[in-house]
Amino acid sequence: MADHQEASVTLPSEPASVSAARRYVAEILGEWGMTPGSDTAETVRLIVSELATNAVQHTFGQSPTFTVDVRLDRYEHLRIGVTDSHPRWPRRLPAAVQQDNGRGIVIIRCLTAECGGKVSVQPTREGGKTVWIELPWTVPVQQPVGP
């Protein structure tokens, strides 16, 4: 297997795309050896769900699509980025106790930190941004079986 693997999908900025993003990432990680349903796989699914939801809900129609990038480097680091074309960077919204929104980035940061990872945001050349999470890759490397 290669030292670097990556996959990407671009989806319309609509609510149905959140579950499509989750399924896509789960399938890719399964292909790369992560056990479906494992604690890490479920955590990643939740993080992707929050990132995709933010890309759909908080771009106010100014980003017709969003892109999910999945990268695995040297079987050490898993990076997942969600890119949209809206210029505003994520921030915690002032949310009253009764509100159900405004906590996505907090959830993403907490889940990522619990896995020993980090969150970063990078601007795109087109004026949007990519929210990246980086996690340690904890799946054992499968050695090819030789003759």
Side-chain angles (χ1 to χ4, degrees), residues 59-80:
T59 59
F60 308 107
Q62 293 181 24
S63 183
T65 62
F66 67 94
T67 301
V68 180
D69 292 297
V70 188
R71 299 177 183 172
L72 179 57
D73 292 317
R74 296 181 302 278
Y75 294 98
E76 295 175 1
H77 303 284
L78 173 66
R79 294 190 74 202
I80 300 173

Side-chain angles (χ1 to χ4, degrees), residues 23-106:
R23 280 192 307 274
Y24 177 79
V25 171
E27 288 172 11
I28 294 299
L29 295 181
E31 290 174 13
W32 294 348
M34 185 176 283
T35 304
S38 67
D39 288 345
T40 303
E42 291 304 308
T43 298
V44 169
R45 281 174 40 92
L46 181 54
I47 290 170
V48 169
S49 184
E50 291 294 333
L51 288 170
T53 297
N54 285 351
V56 170
Q57 288 186 346
H58 299 297
T59 59
F60 308 107
Q62 293 181 24
S63 183
T65 62
F66 67 94
T67 301
V68 180
D69 292 297
V70 188
R71 299 177 183 172
L72 179 57
D73 292 317
R74 296 181 302 278
Y75 294 98
E76 295 175 1
H77 303 284
L78 173 66
R79 294 190 74 202
I80 300 173
V82 174
T83 303
D84 63 60
S85 58
H86 194 279
R88 191 181 82 206
W89 286 30
R91 58 185 160 82
R92 183 177 180 185
L93 300 175
V97 174
Q98 306 92 316
Q99 287 183 312
D100 291 331
N101 62 7
R103 296 180 183 91
I105 197 67
V106 173

Side-chain angles (χ1 to χ4, degrees), residues 121-140:
V121 183
Q122 292 179 322
T124 64
R125 285 181 288 215
E126 298 79 25
K129 80 278 187 189
T130 303
V131 181
W132 288 101
I133 61 130
E134 182 175 324
L135 303 173
W137 183 254
T138 57
V139 177

